[in-house]
Amino acid sequence: MKKSIFGTAAILALAATMMSASPKGDDAVMTKEDGMYVVNTTTLGKNITGYVDNTPVKVYIKKNKVVKVEALKNQETPKYFIKVKKQLIDKWNNLKVSDAQKLKVDAVTGATFSSDALVKNVQLALEYYQKHK
């Protein structure tokens, strides 16, 4: 009987430790890093696709201002996505989140699908931040 109680207690303790260590739903989407909120659209924007597949981003926000947007690994055609990153990725830097949400960004010629997906992911990240900050 004692072995059974100790065994059950050990299993419960292990389960509690694992549950507290695993990320909870929103933790994978918005984290804090160096005093900044970081919104990752990998799961949040999984249905936003460019020309080939989804184009997740990380948006770094500090004191309600966009610090930077980082494009994450994706399957877009590299030569076109490089153009998108060069022309669009800095558009939101140093803007208040409310202003960044209103920003109208034109697609890069020849990379419309990739551009649109990147913009939609940034908008989604900013919206998520506003609702969960």
Side-chain angles (χ1 to χ4, degrees), residues 76-86 108-111 114:
E76 297 300 284
T77 307
K79 82 176 195 177
Y80 294 106
F81 201 71
I82 287 170
K83 288 181 184 180
V84 170
K85 287 191 330 185
K86 282 184 181 177
V108 174
T109 303
S114 298

Side-chain angles (χ1 to χ4, degrees), residues 5-20:
I5 293 172
F6 287 121
T8 303
I11 290 171
L12 289 173
L14 179 61
T17 303
M18 289 175 65
M19 287 175 62
S20 66

Side-chain angles (χ1 to χ4, degrees), residues 59 63 74 76 93 101:
V59 178
K63 296 182 180 176
N74 61 65
E76 297 300 284
N93 291 1
Q101 286 181 293

Side-chain angles (χ1 to χ4, degrees), residues 2-114:
K2 285 184 181 179
K3 286 183 181 179
S4 175
I5 293 172
F6 287 121
T8 303
I11 290 171
L12 289 173
L14 179 61
T17 303
M18 289 175 65
M19 287 175 62
S20 66
S22 66
K24 297 174 181 81
D26 292 347
D27 291 349
V29 175
M30 188 161 70
T31 58
K32 280 197 99 172
E33 233 176 77
D34 298 327
M36 289 184 275
Y37 285 98
V38 181
V39 183
N40 183 330
T41 66
T42 300
T43 57
L44 190 62
K46 65 184 173 190
N47 295 324
I48 298 173
T49 57
Y51 186 73
V52 178
D53 203 356
N54 50 355
T55 56
V57 298
K58 280 186 178 179
V59 178
Y60 295 78
I61 302 166
K62 186 173 188 174
K63 296 182 180 176
N64 214 34
K65 277 185 145 184
V66 176
V67 174
K68 71 176 180 174
V69 174
E70 175 186 343
L72 300 177
K73 185 177 178 182
N74 61 65
Q75 300 301 313
E76 297 300 284
T77 307
K79 82 176 195 177
Y80 294 106
F81 201 71
I82 287 170
K83 288 181 184 180
V84 170
K85 287 191 330 185
K86 282 184 181 177
Q87 293 182 37
L88 299 184
I89 208 83
D90 295 334
K91 295 281 186 187
W92 296 271
N93 291 1
N94 300 313
L95 293 177
K96 289 181 185 176
V97 171
S98 58
D99 293 336
Q101 286 181 293
K102 296 174 194 169
L103 186 66
K104 302 291 182 207
V105 179
D106 291 330
V108 174
T109 303
T112 305
F113 292 114
S114 298

